[in-house]
Amino acid sequence: MKNQDAMNDQGELSHDISQVFLNMDGKSLGTYELPAKIPIIGDGAHDFVLIPGVIVNGIRGTKKRYPFMEQYKSVITLKKNDTVSIVPETRYFKEINFLIEDFESPSMQLDVSSESLATIGRNNDPSILKWGNRYGEVILNDSDSLISFTTDFNTVLPKLGTDVFLEFDYMNTNSMLIGTYSYGNGNVYYDPYLQINPQSAGDAVWKHVYVDLKENISYRQTTPINEAQFTMVLDDLGTSKYVYIDNIKLVYP
């Protein structure tokens, strides 16, 4: 399923829409992993609705209709014992909000904690770079073994059970912990949420993850400001590990 958007206010055309929820004539035909070859009984013209879906929190058993993208609707004519090929397209709804750190600007909207030993920088290694001109880079070793940083958007995100997702791309040989940092009205909270496992050094590739932050953010009713937090601690002493990161987005209605 293709994502049509490449607008600056929505960030890079980076996604992992890997699932589709399929309806025909108002009835559900199930959920399928893309690309899919779907057997359907029927002839003639039928109304189809394809709803974009994602793997939530990187857990393959957790599939969800992505709430911020348009459905694909089409009248498709079926023929018995024939195959109809389609390439459906979707896009973010126009009213969706984005807070973006894509490592392209001179300054980063990230706040590194004072306890951190490592730093996050920017690199443009062409063998690694996939989007834009820069990506974020963290190198961990025995002397630089810890880093924790939060987004610094300073924006009030919706609560009361409203969907809020963190999207980003990463390539990593070290694990990382994703959480939320909430503050305001004299209160400060850190809520860890999701650990992302490392990839093998020889097989590491860019991956896109959708992190559902609704529960964390809605739980902190007394703190108006909520940021995404990333924590990385060297997994194995005596080694050098990396985490590359790009296209950090907080997405909400």
Side-chain angles (χ1 to χ4, degrees), residues 14-16 57 66 92 101-103 131 149 151 165-172 176-179 194-196 206-213 228-232 243-251:
S14 168
H15 68 89
D16 186 17
N57 299 334
Y66 198 49
Y92 288 105
E101 173 52 65
D102 56 10
F103 302 96
W131 304 273
F149 58 87
T151 56
F165 270 80
L166 168 68
E167 294 187 36
F168 63 94
D169 295 285
Y170 67 95
M171 183 189 299
N172 65 321
M176 53 180 159
L177 181 64
I178 310 301
L194 172 70
Q195 177 167 302
I196 294 180
W206 283 106
K207 294 185 177 183
H208 192 93
V209 66
Y210 298 85
V211 184
D212 187 351
L213 296 181
Q229 184 162 38
F230 301 77
T231 300
M232 304 158 200
V243 176
Y244 305 139
I245 191 167
D246 207 351
N247 305 317
I248 298 173
K249 300 180 186 179
L250 284 172
V251 190

Side-chain angles (χ1 to χ4, degrees), residues 108-147:
M108 291 183 283
Q109 296 183 86
L110 299 174
D111 182 22
V112 179
S113 73
S114 59
E115 294 81 11
S116 296
L117 301 174
T119 61
I120 181 167
R122 296 183 299 165
N123 204 337
N124 62 352
D125 184 340
S127 67
I128 302 298
L129 185 67
K130 188 172 182 179
W131 304 273
N133 300 304
R134 298 286 190 276
Y135 58 87
E137 178 184 73
V138 173
I139 304 297
L140 298 170
N141 50 49
D142 284 356
S143 58
D144 301 319
S145 58
L146 165 67
I147 186 171

Side-chain angles (χ1 to χ4, degrees), residues 28-39:
S28 173
L29 297 185
T31 306
Y32 300 88
E33 184 169 358
L34 298 172
K37 188 172 183 180
I38 304 170

